[in-house]
């Protein structure tokens, strides 16, 4: 069955770009660790979107398969990342990313 | 009996076995066990020597050469034509020496079991004594000069070990002059041992040179090859055959080479001298008779060392510091006669070198005189005997130098008996006086005497005749034998030497004969005088100390000593009868004439029998008796009392002479002034100036040390610190500086890292897209 509305691939890519930029901005500009984390997820999903879109464009399933891997890895990453954030919060009573600059040279 | 000569290694190996047993087990055997092993070893050697003697008689005095089992080639270097075998020689000369060494040696071993009783180093003493027998037997049984040299050096070593046997003896000499010289602690025995060893080194150096020269000249060191017959006047019929057989093939070839394989030293010497050959020394060559003279003169140097002749006799009197059995065995009866043995063994060479023989005769003659003179002025009982030994060795050497080889060997044999007897007798006296001293001291008397009491000083004796009858009788026998009184052993042998000197002088008209006869006669008178003096001072009169009053010859362990004295006294009485000259009174019908000379003649080709000189014999005995009478007048009739001086010392006419004799003619002092002193100064100069000031302070401290320091400073400061450290440190500073700037990048803010990751990703993407973009823009 043919789709009723054919959304051109350009739009998916543009949406993906917008989402990526929003995520990047979030990572770079925000101080709250959870927000940054969410922004990272946003960037990942923008990439997923682009992959799915291109997969559809070319009629291949490679991209789709890849997206599943990305989502799996992201889920694992979330588990680890949230655990880290909880641990940091317990230690410092804060998740302000700017307060964590022990790596300053 | 023909196979008996094969036993000859036993005379060396029996004492060797004995010493090994005592060396390993001596600690556990106890005094009796050690003594049994050592005496047994000596007796085994004696038994072997007796068997060899019997076999010689049975086989017509044929010399036999025996290879050492298991050691056929001792030194064999085919490339250099050196082939020296370790061979034993059984002939009348070596068997005579073996009998003397083993016979007197066994008696002295037995004596020493009593003398050394209670000594903490008892087993070691017998190890050394047996070791001495080993080396002495090697010396006399070797068939070549090198084996003889090994023994020669070995007995020197044993002499050293035994002189300094009581190396830690805290001996304070009673004589203030000696106390001054050696100090109160007085490591006298060690010093004496060292002196003996060093003085002997000089002699051994001469012998070694002689041996080298012999080898160069003759290409072999063997006396005679196995089965070789001496070429000599008395073997004329045999010699002609032998001579032709040996000389014919040798004519085409030069001396040394092939001749050396067939012919020993002595026959080669006869041949070469007859031919008048020259000896090639590379750049020059010398006539054979000059070379033989040189060899024999080198041998003479060895003889003066080992047999205590002028100028090297000074070690022998000091050697008396050793235990008395050692003095008797090594420094009177056997080792010191090795020099005489060497001359007699080399009689062919000495006979061919009249100059050397004359020198030997004169050296011996004057040694006899000097030794006899010094002996007259000594206080120490053993020093008197030591100088007497020097004197008697002089007699033997003089006889050998005069060509009277048989007389020299005869005197060697008789002297071994009566001098061993006298030394052992003096040992008993010393032992008894020391015993008496301890006895007296135990009663708490004369405690102040303790530190200066010398049991060897004749001034501390006197009147021992009643306390020690056995010792007295045997000592009297020894004295009469040494003084040459008829019929004791010394009479026969000394008289033969004097008669031979007389013959050489008045019949052959040789100058050294006249001198030797005159001087030896005086020396013989000296002998009678100093022996009379000693006898009267020790045994006659009243005891001069408490120690002498308590002297006792029946203390524990002394039975062995007095029994030995009795056996030796018998020997000293009778041993002279082995060589009674022809035409002497009733003896012509009773005893075979000059049996000993006939025995020796089978080996010593230039030996000849002495003829009786009735007038001379009467004169000599009369002279000896009158000198003993003189000694009686001076020392016996009016005995020296306690604390008084020697009668000769207080008489104005003899005072100077006595002091001169008492000071040993200043030989030691002269040597000190001319040799030891300059040597010490040279050593001091070398040590202090050359070594310390020049080598150490200048060469090492100044040149080497400063140069090294300079180089080190150069390497340290500019090169190591400046260049190498500069490069390393500079690199480190550079990296530090870069790092200081780089660290600013590490802000620690996560977002900065994120941004840089982002920018990096952008750059990567741009690079990946570069071709596409350039297509888009360009095209």
């Amino acid at each position: 069955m043919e789709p009723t509305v054919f959304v051109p691939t350009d739009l998916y890519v543009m949406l993906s770009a917008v989402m990526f930029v929003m995520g990047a901005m979030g990572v770079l500009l925000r101080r709250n660790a959870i927000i940054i984390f969410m922004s990272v997820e946003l960037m990942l999903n923008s990439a997923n979107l682009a992959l799915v879109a291109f997969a559809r464009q070319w009629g291949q399933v490679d991209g789709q398969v890849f997206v599943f891997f990305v989502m799996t890895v992201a889920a694992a990453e979330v588990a680890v990342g949230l655990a880290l954030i909880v641990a940091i919060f317990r230690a410092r009573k804060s998740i302000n990313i700017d307060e964590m600059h022990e790596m300053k040279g | 009996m023909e196979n008996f000569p094969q036993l000859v290694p036993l005379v060396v190996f029996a004492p060797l076995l004995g010493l090994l047993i005592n060396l390993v087990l001596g600690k556990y055997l106890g005094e009796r066990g050690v003594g049994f092993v050592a005496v047994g070893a000596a007796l085994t050697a004696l038994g072997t020597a007796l068997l060899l003697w019997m076999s010689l008689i049975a086989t017509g005095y044929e010399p036999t050469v025996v290879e050492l089992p298991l050691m056929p080639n001792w030194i064999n270097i085919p490339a250099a034509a050196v082939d020296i075998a370790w061979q034993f020689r059984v002939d009348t000369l070596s068997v005579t020496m073996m009998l003397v060494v083993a016979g007197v040696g066994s008696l002295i071993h037995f004596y020493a079991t009593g003398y050394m009783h209670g000594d903490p180093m008892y087993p070691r003493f017998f190890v050394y004594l047996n070791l001495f027998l080993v080396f002495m037997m090697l010396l006399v049984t070797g068939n070549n000069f090198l084996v003889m040299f090994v023994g020669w050096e070995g007995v020197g070593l044993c002499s050293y070990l035994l002189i300094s046997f009581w190396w830690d003896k805290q001996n304070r000499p009673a004589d203030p002059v000696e106390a001054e010289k050696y100090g109160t602690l007085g490591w006298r025995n060690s010093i004496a041992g060292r002196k003996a060893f060093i003085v002997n080194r000089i002699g051994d150096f001469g012998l070694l040179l002689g041996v080298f020269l012999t080898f160069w000249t003759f290409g072999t060191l063997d006396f005679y090859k196995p089965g070789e017959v001496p070429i000599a006047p008395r073997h004329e019929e045999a010699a002609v055959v032998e001579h032709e057989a040996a000389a014919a093939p040798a004519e085409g070839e030069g001396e040394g080479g092939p001749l050396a394989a067939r012919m020993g030293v002595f026959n080669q010497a006869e041949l070469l001298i007859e031919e008048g050959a020259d000896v090639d020394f590379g750049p020059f060559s010398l006539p054979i008779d000059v070379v033989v003279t040189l060899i024999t003169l080198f041998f003479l140097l060895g003889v003066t060392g080992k047999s205590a002749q002028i100028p090297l006799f000074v070690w022998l009197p000091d050697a008396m510091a050793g235990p008395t059995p050692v003095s008797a065995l090594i420094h009177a009866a056997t080792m010191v006669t090795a020099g005489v043995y060497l001359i007699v063994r080399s009689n062919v060479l000495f006979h061919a070198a009249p100059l050397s023989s004359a020198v030997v005769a004169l050296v011996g003659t004057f040694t006899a005189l000097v030794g006899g003179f010094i002996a007259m002025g000594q206080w120490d009982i053993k020093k008197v005997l030591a100088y007497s030994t020097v004197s008697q060795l002089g007699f033997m050497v003089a006889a050998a130098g005069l060509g009277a080889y048989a007389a020299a060997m005869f005197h060697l044999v008789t002297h071994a008996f009566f001098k061993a007897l006298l030394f052992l007798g003096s040992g008993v006296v010393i032992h008894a006086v020391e015993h008496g001293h301890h006895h007296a001291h135990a009663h708490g008397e004369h405690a102040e005497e303790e530190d200066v009491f010398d049991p060897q000083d004749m001034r501390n004796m006197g009147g021992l005749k009643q306390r020690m009858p056995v010792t007295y009788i045997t000592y009297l026998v020894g004295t009469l034998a040494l003084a040459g009184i008829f019929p004791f052993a010394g009479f026969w042998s000394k008289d033969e030497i004097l008669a031979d000197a007389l013959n050489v002088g008045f019949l052959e008209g040789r100058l050294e004969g006249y001198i030797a006869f005159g001087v030896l006669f005086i020396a013989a008178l000296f002998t009678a005088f100093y022996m009379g003096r000693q006898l009267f001072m020790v045994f006659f009169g009243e005891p001069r100390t408490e120690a002498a009053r308590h002297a006792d010859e029946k203390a524990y362990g002394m039975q062995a000593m007095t029994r030995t004295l009795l056996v030796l006294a018998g020997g000293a009485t009778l041993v002279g009868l082995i060589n009674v000259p022809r035409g002497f009174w009733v003896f012509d019908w009773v005893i075979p004439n000059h049996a000993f000379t006939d025995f020796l003649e089978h080996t010593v080709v230039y030996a000849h029998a002495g003829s009786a000189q009735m007038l001379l014999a009467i004169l000599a005995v009369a002279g000896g008796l009158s000198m003993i009478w003189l000694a009686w007048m001076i020392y016996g009739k009016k005995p020296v009392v306690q604390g008084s001086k020697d009668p000769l010392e207080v008489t104005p006419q003899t005072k100077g002479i006595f002091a001169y004799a008492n000071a040993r003619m200043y030989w030691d002092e002269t040597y000190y002034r001319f040799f030891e002193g300059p040597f010490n100064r040279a050593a001091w100069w070398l040590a202090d100036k050359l070594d310390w000031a020049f080598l150490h302070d200048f060469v090492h401290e100044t040149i080497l040390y400063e140069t090294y320091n300079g180089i080190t400073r150069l390497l340290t400061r500019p090169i190591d610190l400046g260049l190498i450290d500069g490069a390393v440190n500079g690199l480190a500073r550079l990296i530090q500086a870069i790092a200081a700037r780089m660290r600013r990048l590490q802000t620690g803010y996560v977002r900065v890292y994120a941004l840089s990751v982002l920018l990096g990703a952008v750059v990567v993407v741009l690079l990946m897209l570069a071709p596409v973009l350039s297509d888009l823009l360009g095209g």
Side-chain angles (χ1 to χ4, degrees):
Chain A
M1 184 181 159
E2 285 293 307
T4 51
V5 179
F6 186 80
V7 181
T9 308
D10 307 23
L11 293 179
Y12 286 110
V13 174
M14 282 166 65
L15 177 62
S16 166
V18 169
M19 280 166 67
F20 190 85
V21 170
M22 284 168 67
M25 288 299 128
V27 169
L28 291 177
L29 299 177
R30 299 306 292 259
R31 289 186 175 81
N32 189 315
I34 295 187
I35 304 279
I36 290 171
F37 210 65
M38 286 157 64
S39 303
V40 170
E41 292 301 311
L42 195 59
M43 286 160 74
L44 276 171
N45 280 317
S46 74
N48 283 351
L49 182 60
L51 283 167
V52 174
F54 286 125
R56 196 193 67 152
Q57 171 75 25
W58 302 110
Q60 289 183 337
V61 290
D62 295 21
Q64 316 266 15
V65 173
F66 212 85
V67 166
F68 279 109
F69 279 102
V70 171
M71 290 200 306
T72 316
V73 171
E77 181 210 326
V78 165
V80 175
L82 280 175
L84 275 173
I85 287 166
V86 170
I88 289 167
F89 181 77
R90 279 189 185 155
R92 303 190 167 233
K93 304 294 173 206
S94 161
I95 48 171
N96 188 339
I97 209 87
D98 280 359
E99 288 177 17
M100 288 170 250
H101 55 280
E102 281 84 356
M103 293 288 280
K104 187 176 187 302
Chain B
M1 282 225 180
E2 286 73 33
N3 290 329
F4 278 1
Q6 304 299 323
L7 289 172
V8 65
L10 258 184
V11 299
V12 172
F13 285 105
L16 188 65
L17 186 68
L19 90 86
L20 288 177
I21 291 173
N22 276 343
L23 191 65
V24 179
L25 301 174
K27 244 189 303 184
Y28 313 105
L29 288 177
E31 286 195 3
R32 293 187 76 88
V34 169
F36 182 77
V37 170
V39 175
L43 283 175
T44 310
L46 177 62
T48 312
L50 284 170
L51 287 179
L52 295 175
W53 178 53
M54 278 154 57
S55 90
L56 273 182
I57 293 173
T59 57
Y61 308 103
E62 273 305 304
T64 317
V65 175
V66 180
E67 292 268 347
L68 187 69
L70 309 176
M71 242 172 107
N73 297 318
W74 180 36
I75 296 175
N76 189 6
I77 309 166
V82 177
D83 184 11
I84 300 165
W86 191 293
Q87 290 169 334
F88 292 92
R89 182 169 187 82
V90 182
D91 60 19
T92 52
L93 180 59
S94 69
V95 167
T96 305
M97 289 301 288
M98 275 186 253
L99 285 172
V100 170
V101 171
V104 179
S106 302
L107 286 171
I108 292 172
H109 272 66
F110 180 63
Y111 174 92
T113 57
Y115 189 84
M116 297 306 286
H117 166 67
D119 194 286
M121 296 184 286
Y122 195 90
R124 183 193 297 180
F125 182 79
F126 284 94
V127 168
Y128 287 166
L129 271 195
N130 275 354
L131 183 67
F132 169 76
L133 279 188
V134 169
F135 282 121
M136 193 68 206
M137 287 302 187
L138 275 183
L139 199 165
V140 300
T141 56
N143 187 35
N144 59 50
F145 283 107
L146 205 62
V147 176
M148 196 190 75
F149 183 74
V150 170
W152 187 280
E153 289 296 314
V155 292
L157 168 72
C158 294
S159 165
Y160 164 76
L161 290 172
L162 284 164
I163 293 168
S164 33
F165 182 73
W166 290 318
W167 53 272
D168 59 345
K169 202 174 181 186
Q170 302 283 313
N171 203 349
R172 183 186 167 140
D175 183 9
V177 179
E178 291 200 350
E180 184 70 29
K181 189 170 165 188
Y182 296 115
T184 46
L185 282 178
W187 303 99
R188 257 210 310 188
N189 293 24
S190 303
I191 293 169
R194 214 166 55 199
K195 182 173 179 181
F197 201 77
I198 292 169
V199 171
N200 266 303
R201 294 253 56 72
I202 302 169
D204 296 352
F205 162 76
L207 178 63
L208 198 55
L209 282 183
V211 170
F212 287 157
L213 195 54
T214 305
F215 189 79
W216 180 265
T217 309
F218 302 110
T220 179
L221 288 176
D222 293 346
F223 300 142
Y224 294 105
K225 297 287 177 188
E228 196 182 349
V229 182
I231 308 171
R234 69 178 291 275
H235 292 280
E236 253 156 28
E237 315 87 63
V240 173
V241 180
E242 186 69 16
H243 187 156
E244 312 246 299
E251 270 169 6
E253 296 134 342
E255 75 263 11
L259 214 62
R262 275 195 325 279
M263 215 180 241
V265 168
F266 298 139
N267 278 350
Q268 277 194 56
E270 299 269 12
L271 273 187
L272 294 177
I273 285 168
E274 199 170 305
E275 286 171 19
D278 280 356
V279 181
D280 187 23
F281 287 96
F284 60 96
S285 62
L286 290 174
I288 183 74
D289 46 347
V290 176
V291 175
V292 170
T293 305
L294 277 177
I295 290 173
T296 45
L297 284 178
F298 281 136
F299 282 174
L300 173 62
L301 185 57
V303 171
T304 58
K306 193 62 80 194
S307 287
Q309 300 296 298
I310 291 173
L312 298 179
F313 72 94
V314 288
W315 66 272
L316 185 59
D318 284 25
M320 298 304 142
T324 301
V326 173
S327 308
L329 178 62
I330 301 185
H331 304 122
T334 54
M335 182 192 85
V336 290
T337 61
V340 181
Y341 168 76
L342 171 65
I343 299 179
V344 174
R345 175 58 86 186
S346 318
N347 66 87
V348 173
L349 299 181
F350 279 89
H351 187 264
L355 176 69
S356 302
S357 286
V359 175
V360 170
L362 292 180
V363 165
T365 304
F366 284 100
T367 306
L369 184 73
V370 166
F373 177 70
I374 297 176
M376 293 191 297
Q378 295 301 309
W379 295 121
D380 187 315
I381 185 170
K382 280 175 76 181
K383 282 274 166 70
V384 173
L385 294 175
Y387 280 104
S388 162
T389 306
V390 171
S391 174
Q392 298 305 310
L393 288 167
F395 272 88
M396 296 173 212
V397 170
L402 292 169
Y405 303 109
M409 284 305 293
F410 183 33
H411 198 52
L412 188 157
V413 173
T414 58
H415 176 258
F417 279 92
F418 59 70
K419 189 53 70 66
L421 167 64
L422 286 172
F423 262 116
L424 297 185
S426 80
V428 174
V429 169
I430 294 164
H431 220 69
V433 171
E434 205 166 23
H435 198 268
H437 177 63
H438 288 308
H439 186 72
H441 187 60
H443 292 284
E445 303 163 22
H446 301 280
E448 73 280 3
E449 263 186 11
E450 179 64 40
D451 52 343
V452 291
F453 183 76
D454 182 359
Q456 304 193 10
D457 196 323
M458 294 193 290
R459 286 171 293 192
N460 292 334
M461 300 171 185
L464 295 179
K465 190 169 63 167
Q466 288 80 19
R467 307 273 321 168
M468 309 172 69
V470 179
T471 315
Y472 165 67
I473 296 292
T474 52
Y475 212 88
L476 181 66
V477 170
T479 300
L480 294 177
L482 177 54
I485 305 301
F486 180 84
F488 296 99
F491 164 75
W492 303 103
S493 57
K494 196 178 287 184
D495 209 54
E496 189 166 337
I497 292 176
L498 289 173
D500 275 312
L502 195 69
N503 280 344
V504 170
F506 290 87
L507 296 183
E508 297 175 27
R510 273 152 61 194
L511 181 64
E512 69 262 25
Y514 290 111
I515 298 172
F517 174 71
V519 174
L520 288 179
F521 195 83
I522 298 171
L525 296 183
F526 284 174
T527 310
F529 181 78
Y530 62 69
M531 284 318 294
R533 170 177 181 261
Q534 185 174 46
L535 191 73
F536 299 132
M537 278 190 84
V538 173
F539 290 100
F540 284 68
E542 289 299 311
R544 285 187 286 276
T545 54
E546 279 303 307
R549 215 158 286 142
H550 289 95
D552 182 15
E553 66 177 4
K554 290 184 198 62
Y556 177 75
M558 287 174 87
Q559 288 88 344
M561 293 152 77
T562 44
R563 268 175 226 159
T564 316
L565 293 185
L566 288 171
V567 176
L568 278 171
T573 312
L574 298 174
V575 78
L577 300 180
I578 62 173
N579 202 25
V580 175
R582 192 183 305 112
F584 196 91
W585 220 9
V586 291
F587 290 96
D588 259 3
W589 304 300
V590 184
I591 302 168
N593 297 134
H594 48 78
F596 182 66
T597 307
D598 289 345
F599 181 67
L600 272 185
E601 264 183 336
H602 295 281
T603 305
V604 185
V605 290
Y606 288 103
H608 56 82
S611 55
Q613 303 278 350
M614 219 44 184
L615 193 66
L616 176 65
I618 293 167
L619 196 65
V621 172
L625 285 174
S626 62
M627 289 314 273
I628 294 179
W629 174 78
L630 187 65
W632 167 255
M633 294 306 284
I634 297 174
Y635 295 98
K637 209 171 167 192
K638 193 160 65 77
V640 183
V641 291
Q642 190 175 351
S644 78
K645 294 190 162 185
D646 193 291
L648 292 179
E649 210 175 355
V650 289
T651 314
Q653 290 89 342
T654 54
K655 206 163 113 184
I657 298 172
F658 183 82
Y660 194 50
N662 186 250
R664 300 174 303 242
M665 293 173 77
Y666 301 101
W667 277 92
D668 282 314
E669 286 75 7
T670 310
Y671 282 171
Y672 185 81
R673 179 173 303 163
F674 288 107
F675 298 107
E676 255 181 285
F679 180 81
N680 283 346
R681 278 196 294 279
W684 177 85
W685 186 84
L686 286 175
D688 200 63
K689 294 284 179 231
L690 191 68
D691 182 58
W692 194 251
F694 176 73
L695 263 181
H696 177 264
D697 283 357
F698 180 67
V699 176
H700 285 160
E701 291 290 290
T702 311
I703 298 180
L704 292 182
Y705 178 76
E706 289 301 329
T707 312
Y708 181 78
N709 264 1
I711 295 170
T712 311
R713 268 197 297 274
L714 182 73
L715 287 174
T716 314
R717 300 274 157 179
I719 293 184
D720 186 49
L721 286 181
L723 207 67
I724 297 172
D725 280 15
V728 174
N729 287 343
L731 192 64
R733 265 197 294 275
L734 181 69
I735 286 164
Q736 209 176 16
I738 292 169
R741 282 179 182 76
M742 294 290 278
R743 65 190 278 238
R744 304 251 176 83
L745 295 176
Q746 302 285 335
T747 58
Y749 293 108
V750 178
R751 91 171 72 88
V752 177
Y753 302 137
L755 182 61
S756 57
V757 169
L758 184 68
L759 287 175
V762 169
V763 169
V764 169
V765 169
L766 280 178
L767 283 174
M768 285 165 72
L769 292 180
V772 182
L773 287 175
S774 69
D775 272 2
L776 284 176
L777 295 173

